[in-house]
Amino acid sequence: EAQVTQNPRYLITVTGKKLTVTCSQNMNHEYMSWYRQDPGLGLRQIYYSMNVEVTDKGDVPEGYKVSRKEKRNFPLILESPSPNQTSLYFCASAPDGFQPQHFGDGTRLSIL
Amino acid sequence: RKEVEQDPGPFNVPEGATVAFNCTYSNSASQSFFWYRQDCRKEPKLLMSVYSSGNEDGRFTAQLNRASQYISLLIRDSKLSDSATYLCVVTTWGDMRFGAGTRLTVKP
């Protein structure tokens, strides 16, 4: 089954404790992306990757890091999480940066 | 000014109604356009792509006007199951911008 898998689905943690949200896709897609969704603000792109070893900042990259060492994985790293990063996060992939994306189920992150 | 502006609604319509959503975008170099549907903070799902010639999928019609930088979605004969938030998406070289979403509630 074609899918984008995010882990964990839910996480409650504390300020300053480094965390990684993993994202994996099994569709051999070149393009992957991370979003956060906050009430009233819609989905905002954090980082995207057009291909392996190529990453670009989206609309709200501050406080986040990503890496794309292999095609299927695109982890999102919060080196020093803060409460304003409490949000619902989605990972997505697409054949390329111009085609519709397939989204993961989301990760609900709470930082206290 | 936001890159993608969308009427937030909410739209409350009876079953069988026709409803239209609009979206404007600011980047004239944008290349791809989509409408997504999102249910109750679940993952967004593609409803349809939007082409300059206009395209239709059953009860749904999407239009793109590049000159006015405007996309639209028309839903005919609304069903209860159409209740959701509708998101317009504009893409420029992989940079994806979402509208804030328009909430639709279809009532019996």
Side-chain angles (χ1 to χ4, degrees):
Chain A
E1 181 192 349
Q3 57 187 6
V4 177
T5 304
Q6 295 178 227
N7 279 298
R9 292 290 313 282
Y10 305 91
L11 179 63
I12 301 173
T13 188
V14 295
T15 300
K17 187 176 179 184
K18 181 180 177 180
L19 68 92
T20 299
V21 186
T22 63
C23 176
S24 180
Q25 51 95 3
N26 64 359
M27 294 167 279
N28 201 37
H29 285 167
E30 292 193 349
Y31 178 91
M32 296 186 75
S33 185
W34 275 103
Y35 301 87
R36 62 178 288 174
Q37 186 171 30
D38 302 289
L41 296 176
L43 275 100
R44 293 178 293 167
Q45 192 174 41
I46 302 171
Y47 271 95
Y48 63 97
S49 170
M50 297 284 265
N51 213 326
V52 176
E53 300 291 1
V54 178
T55 62
D56 285 286
K57 294 178 180 179
D59 200 14
V60 288
E62 296 79 17
Y64 304 95
K65 286 175 59 176
V66 292
S67 68
R68 188 91 184 273
K69 293 186 170 59
E70 47 189 347
K71 189 181 271 193
R72 65 182 290 124
N73 295 322
F74 191 46
L76 179 70
I77 303 156
L78 285 71
E79 293 268 5
S80 184
S82 62
N84 65 9
Q85 292 177 300
T86 292
S87 189
L88 176 59
Y89 291 84
F90 288 105
C91 180
S93 72
D96 58 46
F98 309 102
Q99 297 201 48
Q101 298 172 84
H102 190 102
F103 282 80
D105 289 340
T107 295
R108 198 170 290 276
L109 193 55
S110 293
I111 298 160
L112 307 176
Chain B
R1 185 187 163 196
K2 284 187 181 178
E3 289 217 17
V4 180
E5 301 261 17
Q6 186 175 359
D7 183 346
F11 284 59
N12 298 306
V13 303
E15 269 186 294
T18 296
V19 61
F21 304 137
N22 302 315
C23 211
T24 57
Y25 61 96
S26 60
N27 189 342
S28 60
S30 295
Q31 298 134 327
S32 303
F33 308 87
F34 309 102
W35 283 101
Y36 279 77
R37 166 195 173 126
Q38 187 176 28
D39 295 283
C40 230
R41 304 280 274 178
K42 292 191 175 179
E43 78 277 17
K45 292 185 178 176
L46 178 70
L47 183 64
M48 57 199 304
S49 301
V50 189
Y51 305 111
S52 296
S53 53
N55 48 301
E56 190 173 306
D57 182 2
R59 299 182 291 109
F60 299 85
T61 301
Q63 295 270 350
L64 165 63
N65 185 320
R66 284 190 184 271
S68 302
Q69 294 179 205
Y70 168 99
I71 64 175
S72 65
L73 176 69
L74 185 76
I75 305 175
R76 290 181 300 278
D77 189 23
S78 300
K79 311 288 185 196
L80 296 176
S81 57
D82 293 334
S83 296
T85 297
Y86 291 83
L87 307 165
C88 60
V89 183
V90 175
T91 302
T92 313
W93 294 107
D95 184 332
M96 305 265 179
R97 300 293 170 125
F98 282 73
T102 300
R103 185 171 179 82
L104 171 67
T105 301
V106 181
K107 298 185 173 178

